[in-house]
Amino acid sequence: MSNQFTKPPHARQDWTIDQGWRAYTDEEHKTWDVLYQLLMKVLTTRAAPEFLSGLEALDLHRGGIPEFERMSDELEALTGWRVVAVPGLVPDEVFFEHLANRRFPAGNFIRKPDQLDYIQEPDVFHDVFGHVPMLTDPVFADYMVAYGEGGLRSLRHASLKNLAALYWYTVEFGLIQTNQGLRIYGAGIVSSPAESVFSLEDPSPNRVAFDLRRLMRTDYRIDDFQQTYFVIESYDQLFRATVDTDFGPLYADLQGEFDFKPEDVVATDKVISKGTQAYANKGGRFAA
Ligand code: PHE
Ligand code: FE
C-alpha cells in the first residue's frame, strides 16, 4: 500500500500525473508483453474467472502498456471506475480518497527487464494487470470503494495497520473457492508467476477460510511469498462481511496491534490446508 513522503513537483494536488503513454519506449512495451505472456501461461487455469474475463473486457491482451484513458472509458462503462496515473506510492489519505471516488491510482513506470520477477515498488504492470481486471466485477468494484471510505475512517482511529492487513489478505493476496477449485483473485499473486503457482499448489503455506476478525489480527510478509492465504467463498461474502461490520469497536479492541504471526494456525480457523512452512523455514527467497 502506501507511505508518507513528499509530492514530486510535477504531480497535481491529488498526486496524479499524466500517464505519458507516448513516451513509453518499444523496450518498455515489450516488458509488458513478456510479462503478460509469462503470466497467462500459469493464470488461465489458476486465476479467478472474474479476473480472466476482466482482462478480456478491457482488451488488455492487445499488447503493449495500455493507455489509461482508453482503458478507463471501457472500465467506467462497466463499474464507474477510472485508472489515474501516479508517480509511485502515494500517501495513505490520498490513496483512500481516490478509491472512495472510484479512481484507481496506478504507477506509470514499468520495471526494468532484469526485474521481471521481483520489484519493491508497484509498477504499471502490477497496478494495471494485477488490480484493474477485478474492478470490472461490480461487487468487487463496490468493495474497493467501501475500502477507500473505510480507510479514511481508519486514519482517524490510528488503526490503519489492521485495515491494511485486510487489504493485504484480500485485494493483494486473496484466493477464492470456485467450482473448479481454488482460484486466485489477489493482485499481488496474479502479477507474480512464481507465487501464482506457489499460492495454490505448494505444500508450504496455510490456506484458511476468510474470517474478518482473525485476518485483521494477523501480521503479514511484505518481502516474500505469504505464509497464509485466506479463502473467500464469493465477493459478496467479502463485501457483506466488511460493509456490515462497524470496524470502530474492532479497532478499539485491537489497538493497532497484531495477535497472530503470518504462519499461525489458530483454534477457530476453518483450515483448508495446513502448511508445512517448509519454504519459509528454509529461508524463503533468501535461501541459499
Ligand atoms: N465497515 C468498515 C468500517 O466500519 C469500512 C469498510 C468496508 C472497510 C469495506 C473495508 C471494506 O470502517
Ligand atoms: Fe497492489
Side-chain angles (χ1 to χ4, degrees):
M1 274 215 308
S2 36
N3 267 306
Q4 312 302 330
F5 25 73
T6 33
K7 184 166 74 62
H10 65 294
R12 298 178 194 102
Q13 208 47 48
D14 67 356
W15 285 67
T16 61
I17 56 174
D18 290 329
Q19 183 193 5
W21 187 77
R22 264 160 238 288
Y24 291 125
T25 64
D26 291 346
E27 185 183 67
E28 289 175 319
H29 284 300
K30 193 165 161 251
T31 297
W32 173 284
D33 291 341
V34 168
L35 282 167
Y36 192 98
Q37 249 107 71
L38 203 65
L39 263 317
M40 289 317 278
K41 273 197 205 115
V42 298
L43 291 180
T44 43
T45 55
R46 291 183 180 86
E50 295 75 16
F51 175 85
L52 296 170
S53 63
L55 284 177
E56 290 296 310
L58 299 173
D59 293 314
L60 293 185
H61 57 275
R62 277 190 205 163
I65 302 168
E67 198 174 352
F68 290 2
E69 284 297 309
R70 193 274 304 159
M71 179 174 62
S72 293
D73 289 345
E74 293 178 42
L75 180 60
E76 188 172 6
L78 294 169
T79 57
W81 276 79
R82 296 192 70 84
V83 178
V84 292
V86 290
L89 295 173
V90 301
D92 303 318
E93 198 179 344
V94 174
F95 180 70
F96 294 140
E97 192 69 45
H98 280 301
L99 295 187
N101 290 284
R102 291 187 190 258
R103 290 187 302 265
F104 191 79
N108 71 333
F109 65 96
I110 192 152
R111 67 196 75 184
K112 299 278 167 280
D114 62 351
Q115 303 172 300
L116 293 192
D117 274 330
Y118 184 79
I119 46 156
Q120 206 122 39
E121 262 218 304
D123 68 344
V124 65
F125 188 80
H126 167 79
D127 281 340
V128 172
F129 180 89
H131 286 281
V132 177
M134 286 307 299
L135 293 173
T136 62
D137 181 82
V139 179
F140 192 84
D142 285 351
Y143 170 68
M144 291 291 280
V145 178
Y147 188 90
E149 292 165 349
L152 292 169
R153 188 170 176 222
S154 80
L155 293 179
R156 297 195 289 273
H157 282 84
S159 287
L160 181 57
K161 203 168 136 181
N162 300 113
L163 189 73
L166 174 62
Y167 192 88
W168 198 259
Y169 282 123
T170 61
V171 179
E172 295 290 357
F173 294 97
L175 300 180
I176 184 165
Q177 194 76 64
T178 76
N179 303 336
Q180 297 129 308
L182 290 189
R183 292 277 180 133
I184 306 159
Y185 72 92
I189 309 179
V190 293
S191 49
S192 158
E195 191 157 6
S196 289
V197 176
F198 178 89
S199 66
L200 294 181
E201 282 141 60
D202 202 277
S204 281
N206 305 312
R207 299 175 186 90
V208 174
F210 173 84
D211 171 339
L212 179 71
R213 283 176 181 74
R214 144 69 153 121
L215 177 162
M216 286 177 70
R217 292 161 70 184
T218 309
D219 201 358
Y220 52 85
R221 314 239 358 194
I222 59 165
D223 58 343
D224 208 336
F225 298 158
Q226 298 308 303
Q227 292 182 265
T228 301
Y229 297 94
F230 290 97
V231 181
I232 60 171
E233 273 156 33
S234 65
Y235 306 111
D236 212 52
Q237 176 202 23
L238 177 61
F239 182 78
R240 290 265 67 103
T242 50
V243 171
D244 292 347
T245 302
D246 175 4
F247 287 12
L250 196 57
Y251 290 150
D253 207 37
L254 301 177
Q255 299 272 333
E257 297 298 328
F258 290 134
D259 298 323
F260 305 128
K261 296 193 292 301
E263 68 271 30
D264 285 352
V265 171
V266 303
T268 53
D269 282 347
K270 228 176 91 199
V271 178
I272 294 157
S273 56
K274 180 160 167 24
T276 62
Q277 300 300 339
Y279 171 82
N281 292 343
K282 264 195 337 229
R285 60 185 285 264
F286 305 105

